[in-house]
Short mmCIF file of all heavy atoms in Angstrom, two decimals:
data_model
loop_
_atom_site.label_atom_id
_atom_site.label_comp_id
_atom_site.label_asym_id
_atom_site.label_seq_id
_atom_site.Cartn_x
_atom_site.Cartn_y
_atom_site.Cartn_z
N GLN A 68 99.37 98.76 50.77
CA GLN A 68 98.66 97.83 51.64
C GLN A 68 99.07 96.39 51.28
O GLN A 68 99.27 95.56 52.17
CB GLN A 68 97.17 97.99 51.52
CG GLN A 68 96.40 97.20 52.56
CD GLN A 68 94.90 97.57 52.50
OE1 GLN A 68 94.44 98.18 51.57
NE2 GLN A 68 94.19 97.14 53.51
N THR A 69 99.20 96.09 49.99
CA THR A 69 99.63 94.76 49.58
C THR A 69 101.04 94.50 50.04
O THR A 69 101.34 93.38 50.48
CB THR A 69 99.55 94.65 48.05
OG1 THR A 69 98.20 94.92 47.64
CG2 THR A 69 99.95 93.27 47.57
N ALA A 70 101.92 95.47 49.92
CA ALA A 70 103.29 95.31 50.36
C ALA A 70 103.36 95.07 51.87
O ALA A 70 104.23 94.32 52.33
CB ALA A 70 104.12 96.51 49.98
N ALA A 71 102.50 95.71 52.62
CA ALA A 71 102.53 95.58 54.08
C ALA A 71 101.80 94.34 54.56
O ALA A 71 102.01 93.93 55.69
CB ALA A 71 101.90 96.81 54.73
N SER A 72 100.99 93.73 53.73
CA SER A 72 100.24 92.58 54.19
C SER A 72 101.03 91.30 54.04
O SER A 72 101.87 91.15 53.14
CB SER A 72 98.92 92.46 53.42
OG SER A 72 99.18 92.11 52.08
N PHE A 73 100.83 90.40 54.94
CA PHE A 73 101.45 89.10 54.92
C PHE A 73 100.39 88.13 55.39
O PHE A 73 99.71 88.35 56.40
CB PHE A 73 102.67 89.06 55.85
CG PHE A 73 103.37 87.72 55.86
CD1 PHE A 73 104.26 87.39 54.85
CD2 PHE A 73 103.11 86.82 56.87
CE1 PHE A 73 104.87 86.17 54.86
CE2 PHE A 73 103.74 85.60 56.88
CZ PHE A 73 104.61 85.26 55.87
N ALA A 74 100.27 87.01 54.72
CA ALA A 74 99.21 86.06 55.05
C ALA A 74 99.71 85.06 56.09
O ALA A 74 100.52 84.17 55.78
CB ALA A 74 98.75 85.30 53.78
N PHE A 75 99.28 85.25 57.33
CA PHE A 75 99.61 84.31 58.39
C PHE A 75 98.60 83.17 58.37
O PHE A 75 97.41 83.37 58.13
CB PHE A 75 99.54 85.00 59.76
CG PHE A 75 100.59 86.06 59.96
CD1 PHE A 75 100.26 87.40 59.89
CD2 PHE A 75 101.90 85.73 60.23
CE1 PHE A 75 101.20 88.38 60.09
CE2 PHE A 75 102.85 86.70 60.43
CZ PHE A 75 102.51 88.02 60.35
N SER A 76 99.08 81.99 58.60
CA SER A 76 98.20 80.80 58.62
C SER A 76 97.85 80.42 60.03
O SER A 76 98.70 80.37 60.91
CB SER A 76 98.93 79.63 57.92
OG SER A 76 98.21 78.45 58.09
N ASP A 77 96.58 80.11 60.24
CA ASP A 77 96.15 79.59 61.56
C ASP A 77 96.43 78.11 61.67
O ASP A 77 96.45 77.55 62.78
CB ASP A 77 94.64 79.84 61.74
CG ASP A 77 94.34 81.30 62.06
OD1 ASP A 77 95.12 81.89 62.83
OD2 ASP A 77 93.35 81.81 61.57
N VAL A 78 96.64 77.45 60.54
CA VAL A 78 96.84 76.00 60.52
C VAL A 78 98.27 75.64 60.95
O VAL A 78 98.48 74.65 61.63
CB VAL A 78 96.55 75.42 59.10
CG1 VAL A 78 96.80 73.94 59.05
CG2 VAL A 78 95.13 75.75 58.70
N TYR A 79 99.23 76.46 60.59
CA TYR A 79 100.65 76.18 60.87
C TYR A 79 100.88 76.21 62.38
O TYR A 79 100.54 77.16 63.06
CB TYR A 79 101.54 77.22 60.19
CG TYR A 79 103.01 77.01 60.48
CD1 TYR A 79 103.72 76.01 59.82
CD2 TYR A 79 103.65 77.81 61.39
CE1 TYR A 79 105.06 75.82 60.09
CE2 TYR A 79 104.99 77.62 61.68
CZ TYR A 79 105.70 76.63 61.01
OH TYR A 79 107.02 76.46 61.27
N GLN A 80 101.48 75.15 62.88
CA GLN A 80 101.82 75.04 64.30
C GLN A 80 103.29 74.71 64.39
O GLN A 80 103.71 73.59 64.05
CB GLN A 80 100.98 74.00 65.01
CG GLN A 80 99.50 74.30 65.08
CD GLN A 80 99.20 75.47 65.98
OE1 GLN A 80 99.71 75.57 67.09
NE2 GLN A 80 98.40 76.40 65.49
N ALA A 81 104.11 75.64 64.82
CA ALA A 81 105.56 75.41 64.97
C ALA A 81 105.81 74.56 66.19
O ALA A 81 105.04 74.55 67.16
CB ALA A 81 106.26 76.73 65.07
N ALA A 82 106.92 73.84 66.17
CA ALA A 82 107.30 73.00 67.30
C ALA A 82 108.08 73.85 68.29
O ALA A 82 109.29 74.03 68.17
CB ALA A 82 108.14 71.82 66.84
N LEU A 83 107.37 74.43 69.23
CA LEU A 83 108.01 75.29 70.24
C LEU A 83 108.09 74.52 71.56
O LEU A 83 107.20 73.70 71.87
CB LEU A 83 107.19 76.56 70.46
CG LEU A 83 107.14 77.54 69.29
CD1 LEU A 83 106.11 78.63 69.55
CD2 LEU A 83 108.50 78.16 69.03
N SER A 84 109.12 74.80 72.31
CA SER A 84 109.32 74.14 73.60
C SER A 84 108.25 74.61 74.58
O SER A 84 107.96 75.82 74.65
CB SER A 84 110.71 74.46 74.13
OG SER A 84 110.85 73.94 75.42
N ASP A 85 107.69 73.69 75.35
CA ASP A 85 106.72 74.04 76.37
C ASP A 85 107.42 74.48 77.68
O ASP A 85 106.77 75.04 78.55
CB ASP A 85 105.78 72.86 76.66
CG ASP A 85 104.87 72.58 75.49
OD1 ASP A 85 104.62 73.52 74.70
OD2 ASP A 85 104.41 71.42 75.38
N GLU A 86 108.68 74.19 77.77
CA GLU A 86 109.43 74.51 79.00
C GLU A 86 110.00 75.93 78.91
O GLU A 86 110.47 76.36 77.86
CB GLU A 86 110.59 73.54 79.17
CG GLU A 86 110.15 72.11 79.36
CD GLU A 86 111.35 71.14 79.42
OE1 GLU A 86 112.47 71.63 79.56
OE2 GLU A 86 111.10 69.94 79.32
N GLY A 87 109.89 76.64 80.00
CA GLY A 87 110.47 77.99 80.06
C GLY A 87 109.62 79.00 79.30
O GLY A 87 108.52 78.74 78.85
N PRO A 88 110.19 80.18 79.13
CA PRO A 88 109.47 81.26 78.45
C PRO A 88 109.37 80.96 76.95
O PRO A 88 110.15 80.20 76.37
CB PRO A 88 110.33 82.49 78.70
CG PRO A 88 111.69 81.97 79.00
CD PRO A 88 111.52 80.62 79.62
N VAL A 89 108.43 81.63 76.29
CA VAL A 89 108.25 81.49 74.84
C VAL A 89 109.44 82.14 74.17
O VAL A 89 109.79 83.29 74.42
CB VAL A 89 106.94 82.18 74.40
CG1 VAL A 89 106.78 82.06 72.91
CG2 VAL A 89 105.77 81.59 75.12
N ARG A 90 110.07 81.38 73.25
CA ARG A 90 111.23 81.90 72.56
C ARG A 90 111.43 81.19 71.21
O ARG A 90 110.97 80.07 71.02
CB ARG A 90 112.48 81.76 73.42
CG ARG A 90 112.83 80.32 73.71
CD ARG A 90 113.87 80.24 74.82
NE ARG A 90 114.16 78.87 75.19
CZ ARG A 90 113.41 78.11 75.99
NH1 ARG A 90 112.30 78.58 76.48
NH2 ARG A 90 113.77 76.88 76.25
N TYR A 91 112.11 81.88 70.32
CA TYR A 91 112.38 81.31 68.99
C TYR A 91 113.57 82.06 68.42
O TYR A 91 113.73 83.27 68.61
CB TYR A 91 111.17 81.50 68.08
CG TYR A 91 111.49 81.35 66.61
CD1 TYR A 91 111.65 80.09 66.02
CD2 TYR A 91 111.64 82.46 65.79
CE1 TYR A 91 111.95 79.96 64.68
CE2 TYR A 91 111.93 82.34 64.44
CZ TYR A 91 112.08 81.09 63.89
OH TYR A 91 112.38 80.96 62.56
N CYS A 92 114.42 81.32 67.68
CA CYS A 92 115.55 81.91 67.00
C CYS A 92 115.67 81.25 65.63
O CYS A 92 115.72 80.02 65.56
CB CYS A 92 116.83 81.71 67.83
SG CYS A 92 118.24 82.62 67.18
N ARG A 93 115.69 82.04 64.60
CA ARG A 93 115.81 81.52 63.24
C ARG A 93 117.17 80.81 63.11
O ARG A 93 118.14 81.17 63.79
CB ARG A 93 115.71 82.69 62.26
CG ARG A 93 115.30 82.30 60.88
CD ARG A 93 114.90 83.50 60.06
NE ARG A 93 116.03 84.41 59.86
CZ ARG A 93 115.94 85.61 59.32
NH1 ARG A 93 114.75 86.07 58.95
NH2 ARG A 93 116.99 86.37 59.19
#
Side-chain angles (χ1 to χ4, degrees):
Q68 190 173 14
T69 302
S72 68
F73 179 81
F75 293 104
S76 171
D77 284 321
V78 178
Y79 179 78
Q80 295 292 314
L83 293 170
S84 174
D85 292 336
E86 297 176 13
V89 178
R90 63 193 177 281
Y91 162 79
C92 188
R93 203 167 64 188

